[in-house]
Amino acid sequence: MRFAKAGMAVVAMASVAAFAAALMPEFRGIPASTRISGSSQPVPAATPAAAIRVNGSQPRIPIAALKLSGEVVGLAPQSTGLAVTVTVGGQTYLATVQGNKYSANIGRPSPLDMVIVEAKATRVHYRSVLGSADRLRMLAGSDSQVVVAEHSSLRVSPYSTALSWLVRFALGGRDAASVAEFEQAMRSAANRDLETVAYALSAAASGEWPLPAGFSNGYQLLQARDAFRNYVEQSGFQLASQGYLFAQQDAAPVKSISEIPDRLVMIDGVPYAEMPLTAGNLFLLHRKADGSVDLHENKPLVDPNYAIGLDSDGVVGLQPNGAGVRTYDRTAPSPGIIQRTSLGHSLRRLTLGQDVSIWAVRSVWRDVDLWNPGATPVTLTEYRTLSSTALAAWSRSDGWPGTPGLRRTLPWMCMQVGGLSQSSSLAECDYVKHAINSFPASYTVEHGWSVDEQMQPQVAFGTEDFTWSLDAAQGVLRIVNAQTDTSFWRLAGQYRSLGPVLYLASGRDDTGAVQTMVGMSLTMVEAIDSLPADAAVGDWQSGYSASGAPTYTFRPFEYLLFRDSNGSGTEESRTHGLPVTTFPLNWTISNDGIYDRRITGQFSSGSRYVGSCVEAFNQGASGCASRIRYFKPLLKTMDRYYGIEEIYTQTMYAPPPGQAPSYSNYRVVSRPSFYACKNGACMSGFVYPGSPARVAASLGTLSMMAGAGGMADSNQGVRRTTPGRAAIPRLRYVADISFWPRGHQSERLRMSGIDDASDDCPDCGGVAKSKAPKAVSLMAWLSARNGGPQTIAGSAADADSDVIPETAADAADDKDPGSAGPAGDVASMPVAVRDRVPLEVGPDDTATQRLR
């Protein structure tokens, strides 16, 4: 900030706020409660500026007009006729342009007016949101002029345009009305879309990727969503865009390491005004007392400690002090155990906000194939676009009220055995109710699978012991079990009984090394007492995947579920621009949970849906596949029912005469989710403590909304990527291995050789192959059946009311603004072999049973 210019007297002041108060009468008498968070400058009413007399005798001093000076980058070589305008609260000002530089005098705008710059030239239409006039006035200092060095958003570019557009998209097609709203939506915009859109605008301007016929610039193309999607789906486009943002001029340089808070959450896109259920890319940067930093990721790492530095361009560099290593199973191009070691990270800040900033992150890794010591190590680079928020600003210190005596859902962390290496790895193994007692020794409730070995409903009766402690000052709940130590922070939100959490977990692997992992999830307090038989009938909407960050460039996906009162129904998979696929299903309610089952038989003529595997085998099927979606409602907020959702699959094959069928059971996922009842029996079907049972009266449909890449049909953890593959579950070969069930989410109960429809068959209904031999060679199978990268998605949702009785003080405090927490934007990563082949072979760790 400048307080003097050459040829001007130095104005001494204690603060910008004091200076403004001395000059602007409308700033006087404003209570502290009306000030913008993070700023010392008050927010006045929008009254005209006026000259005032200082100390009753001095000349009248007018408030200086605010002047903006910036630049336009990303112009095409043949661009001519550059024109720049500045819009402030509906008033438009024409800027003076020299080359690619511009300046504009915008007078004395009302402090809360948002300021937007727009630049147009041949093949170019860019825009940038600068924020509110009062923030610009604060940045301007005594000379009332703001330049790029003081506010990077004065650089109008493909990046600033992409950010502006994706914020508008998150807000339903309008510009933000305030800085707070803009920054909230920035969390949504900070995803893979941001780099894709920015690169597309630049490539269209330069002619690197020619515009389609009928479009004169990239911004015009951007507004035609289907045409723009086709543009970015061109072969090689996404690969070419990777790293674009990191390499551009756009930057809000870091001037000092001290600008970085002690704990900084860095995360990719989250939904606007929705609570997170999970997260995609997620970092927690922790500055330590010795000057180093830990950079925890949402994948297990050993010793992720780094030396931190700052280069001349204001880019933060992290160089490994520790191991920064993890081991994972590779499925392609050949099976192997890969040891990945960090070679460092570079963090380039693109936008500096008051509470939320945006970064382009470059990470470099070295992969070593432990199964092939002679192989050359591979160096690879990853690029991410992330928003950042100080954890202290995002979390709430009072996030765990009434903790003792409640049953509260949280992720259950464990050291999970799996994969080719058979080594343990830190993982989110379950999502389960925790009985948090008034004394430290507590235990989980209904821990394990909600189906038995025959895939029939059962109460999960397992428990796991843990101890807990609460740091009330910091709002940190600590859960310690036999394998892991996890700290949970409640993130800002409206409700105490329901809300997003960030966790940092640690645990020792088989070598004794400590692995750490950060993640995002949801916590809720159990409040639903029982579930009548008719409660599942009605019109529903599920928001698990819909609550992910809105993705402008990916095709919207919708999942619908229609239930009839007789226990039958249908599901529909709808992907924008592709045919609708319909699935028949049957459903039941058992143990206060809803079970939806889809069953497919494999016949010589192809795959078709059947009522049961017994029916399929009686009709001559060679194989049968079942998929079960289980939902246990725990808490209601208005029309939403939050709870635990699990997905199970089973594959079976007709046995030789006199033998039992071989089968493979697998829990695909255990996670928080919600369903919103829109009409029908579900409107009155759920019963609360102390309430009489209510029987539903009407029928309807259940609709499940899913975002890009979300809630697609899956079998053995592998996401389908085409409509045909979503239509019919495929059957796969697995190894003939048996082991004790541990009950964690990625484990199978028993495995045998099973059939597989052809991967080349568009509808997965090819002629069944002969049964795989029982003595299958695992390595031969892996060599023949290695897979490629799969897409994993997650997301989040918000609620409309609380259900837990609270004190008046609690209720009043719950009115704090909801926060768009992280939720999983689409993240692509290799799926471990254990996600395609059941290899989790480990000792029995059956927990002590409790009847409570």
Side-chain angles (χ1 to χ4, degrees):
M1 181 183 299
R2 300 182 308 279
F3 293 97
K5 291 283 180 99
M8 298 178 59
V10 177
V11 180
M13 64 186 79
S15 67
V16 174
F19 178 67
L23 296 183
M24 302 179 69
E26 65 269 27
F27 279 7
R28 294 178 174 178
I30 302 298
S33 61
T34 64
R35 298 169 185 255
I36 291 179
S37 174
S39 171
S40 61
Q41 182 167 320
V43 181
T47 57
I52 63 172
R53 187 176 297 277
V54 179
N55 294 331
S57 60
Q58 299 177 8
R60 296 171 66 85
I61 304 174
I63 300 172
L66 191 59
K67 185 177 181 180
L68 309 177
S69 297
E71 63 183 5
V72 181
V73 300
L75 295 170
Q78 64 273 36
S79 288
T80 57
L82 177 63
V84 178
T85 57
V86 182
T87 302
V88 187
Q91 180 71 37
T92 299
Y93 301 86
L94 183 63
T96 300
V97 177
Q98 291 185 339
N100 72 325
K101 310 291 185 182
Y102 69 89
S103 61
N105 186 322
I106 61 173
R108 301 166 181 83
S110 296
L112 298 184
D113 283 347
M114 294 292 283
V115 182
I116 299 174
V117 180
E118 209 152 2
K120 296 181 181 179
T122 306
R123 298 179 64 85
V124 163
H125 182 174
Y126 297 151
R127 70 196 310 261
S128 182
V129 177
L130 305 187
S132 60
D134 65 335
R135 187 186 183 201
L136 295 175
R137 176 73 67 178
M138 181 180 68
L139 292 171
S142 62
D143 64 355
S144 292
Q145 180 175 349
V146 191
V147 298
V148 173
E150 296 166 327
H151 193 37
S152 64
S153 296
L154 284 164
R155 183 181 294 109
V156 188
S157 67
Y159 162 72
S160 70
T161 311
L163 179 60
S164 166
W165 180 261
L166 293 176
V167 165
R168 286 175 60 93
F169 178 57
L171 296 176
R174 63 174 176 84
D175 284 317
S178 66
V179 171
E181 188 176 58
F182 185 81
E183 292 197 3
Q184 180 87 337
M186 276 194 346
R187 283 191 179 138
S188 178
N191 59 52
R192 180 73 180 112
D193 267 4
L194 187 55
E195 184 165 64
T196 298
V197 173
Y199 173 71
L201 294 170
S202 174
S206 66
E208 180 181 354
W209 293 79
L211 283 163
F215 296 96
S216 59
N217 59 64
Y219 192 72
Q220 184 186 28
L221 175 63
L222 182 61
Q223 297 173 74
R225 189 175 181 185
D226 285 343
F228 182 78
R229 182 183 294 116
N230 292 334
Y231 184 75
V232 301
E233 286 179 351
Q234 296 180 83
S235 177
F237 189 96
Q238 291 292 334
L239 181 62
S241 69
Q242 292 181 15
Y244 168 80
L245 287 180
F246 192 87
Q248 299 313 299
Q249 298 180 44
D250 296 282
V254 177
K255 298 177 181 178
S256 170
I257 298 299
S258 62
E259 294 181 29
I260 300 174
D262 290 342
R263 286 189 174 95
L264 186 70
V265 181
M266 306 183 74
I267 190 167
D268 62 9
V270 300
Y272 179 77
E274 284 281 0
M275 289 187 296
L277 299 178
T278 187
N281 290 314
L282 176 62
F283 292 157
L284 178 61
L285 192 153
H286 179 201
R287 291 175 56 202
K288 305 185 74 174
D290 63 2
S292 68
V293 301
D294 288 338
L295 187 67
H296 305 286
E297 303 187 34
N298 59 329
K299 303 178 184 68
L301 284 171
V302 174
D303 195 12
N305 184 257
Y306 299 84
I308 186 169
L310 194 63
D311 70 13
S312 58
D313 293 326
V315 176
V316 177
L318 303 180
Q319 293 299 317
N321 283 331
V325 65
R326 69 184 180 92
T327 302
Y328 69 95
D329 298 331
R330 183 183 64 195
T331 60
S334 61
I337 302 174
I338 306 302
Q339 185 180 75
R340 172 164 290 186
T341 304
S342 174
L343 299 183
H345 306 269
S346 299
L347 286 59
R348 183 185 184 96
R349 191 169 61 192
L350 303 177
T351 296
L352 172 61
Q354 291 177 266
D355 294 310
V356 180
S357 298
I358 296 182
W359 302 72
V361 179
R362 181 177 64 193
S363 303
V364 183
W365 304 89
R366 175 175 291 132
D367 283 0
V368 176
D369 188 346
L370 300 182
W371 271 13
N372 187 5
T376 303
V378 176
T379 300
L380 56 95
T381 302
E382 294 178 322
Y383 292 94
R384 300 177 178 91
T385 304
L386 307 173
S387 68
S388 73
T389 308
L391 180 56
W394 200 356
S395 62
R396 51 187 299 174
S397 60
D398 60 345
W400 306 102
T403 292
L406 295 179
R407 291 185 174 185
R408 179 185 293 276
T409 60
L410 288 168
W412 180 259
M413 308 304 295
C414 78
M415 300 303 296
Q416 182 165 279
V417 176
L420 302 175
S421 64
Q422 289 296 286
S423 60
S424 60
S425 181
L426 184 62
E428 188 175 315
C429 299
D430 278 286
Y431 182 73
V432 66
K433 293 184 290 184
H434 290 59
I436 300 179
N437 298 320
S438 57
F439 50 91
S442 300
Y443 54 91
T444 59
V445 180
E446 297 178 7
H447 197 152
W449 286 26
S450 299
V451 297
D452 62 17
E453 190 170 342
Q454 285 74 43
M455 286 286 156
Q456 297 304 307
Q458 72 170 9
V459 175
F461 50 80
T463 70
E464 297 275 0
D465 293 323
F466 66 89
T467 60
W468 67 275
S469 60
L470 180 63
D471 182 340
Q474 300 297 320
V476 181
L477 175 66
R478 184 180 178 190
I479 299 288
V480 180
N481 62 37
Q483 295 182 314
T484 63
D485 186 339
T486 307
S487 294
F488 292 91
W489 289 265
R490 279 292 301 271
L491 299 181
Q494 292 174 281
Y495 317 111
R496 290 174 179 265
S497 58
L498 171 73
V501 295
L502 181 140
Y503 66 80
L504 176 61
S506 64
R508 292 190 180 275
D509 62 22
D510 296 335
T511 69
V514 175
Q515 298 182 8
T516 66
M517 186 172 75
V518 65
M520 196 74 65
S521 188
L522 194 72
T523 186
M524 66 189 81
V525 174
E526 183 178 26
I528 289 179
D529 185 51
S530 63
L531 185 62
D534 289 343
V537 180
D539 301 352
W540 296 80
Q541 183 179 48
S542 170
Y544 186 86
S545 295
S547 59
T551 53
Y552 190 74
T553 60
F554 291 95
R555 296 181 182 274
F557 176 78
E558 184 179 33
Y559 203 80
L560 304 172
L561 179 57
F562 304 88
R563 287 201 186 103
D564 298 326
S565 59
N566 61 4
S568 64
T570 57
E571 299 171 81
E572 287 186 0
S573 172
R574 298 180 179 179
T575 301
H576 178 77
L578 299 175
V580 174
T581 306
T582 301
F583 316 94
L585 62 83
N586 56 71
W587 65 272
T588 187
I589 291 180
S590 180
N591 305 318
D592 295 324
I594 306 171
Y595 292 80
D596 293 300
R597 188 184 303 266
R598 182 194 310 167
I599 306 174
T600 308
Q602 184 76 22
F603 300 88
S604 59
S605 59
S607 297
R608 67 172 184 265
Y609 292 105
V610 294
S612 68
C613 285
V614 172
E615 172 189 323
F617 292 139
N618 288 339
Q619 295 175 4
S622 58
C624 184
S626 300
R627 181 176 183 271
I628 299 170
R629 183 187 300 273
Y630 166 78
F631 179 68
K632 177 68 176 257
L634 299 177
L635 178 148
K636 181 179 185 293
T637 65
M638 298 297 287
D639 65 343
R640 290 184 176 186
Y641 297 88
Y642 283 81
I644 300 171
E645 182 179 54
E646 298 173 342
I647 298 176
Y648 299 90
T649 63
Q650 181 186 64
T651 53
M652 298 183 69
Y653 271 82
Q659 296 185 24
S662 58
Y663 59 88
S664 172
N665 295 349
Y666 179 38
R667 180 160 67 175
V668 178
V669 71
S670 176
R671 64 192 178 191
S673 188
F674 76 86
Y675 290 79
C677 174
K678 298 304 181 184
N679 187 37
C682 56
M683 296 294 289
S684 57
F686 291 90
V687 179
Y688 293 86
S691 301
R694 292 170 290 182
V695 179
S698 59
L699 307 180
T701 61
L702 168 69
S703 100
M704 298 176 57
M705 300 297 297
M711 270 199 170
D713 182 63
S714 59
N715 180 40
Q716 301 189 141
V718 182
R719 178 178 176 267
R720 296 290 175 256
T721 55
T722 68
R725 291 183 180 180
I728 304 293
R730 290 185 294 172
L731 305 176
R732 295 182 171 274
Y733 292 110
V734 296
D736 181 22
I737 305 174
S738 298
F739 63 96
W740 291 99
R742 296 179 61 187
H744 292 312
Q745 85 174 38
S746 294
E747 293 182 343
R748 304 169 193 256
L749 296 179
R750 182 177 172 225
M751 291 147 280
S752 296
I754 61 174
D755 199 5
D756 191 359
S758 171
D759 287 355
D760 299 325
C761 175
D763 62 358
C764 301
V767 176
K769 302 174 183 178
S770 61
K771 184 178 177 182
K774 298 289 286 185
V776 61
S777 164
L778 177 60
M779 286 312 300
W781 185 90
L782 289 171
S783 297
R785 294 259 174 203
N786 52 68
Q790 303 295 326
T791 301
I792 301 172
S795 47
D798 193 23
D800 300 310
S801 71
D802 211 344
V803 300
I804 303 301
E806 299 177 338
T807 66
D810 286 345
D813 184 68
D814 276 359
K815 303 305 180 185
D816 66 310
S819 173
D825 191 15
V826 176
S828 296
M829 64 187 73
V831 172
V833 171
R834 65 174 180 268
D835 290 330
R836 299 177 64 113
V837 186
L839 295 175
E840 298 88 356
V841 181
D844 179 20
D845 69 348
T846 304
T848 302
Q849 305 306 312
R850 287 193 172 92
L851 299 176
R852 302 201 184 203

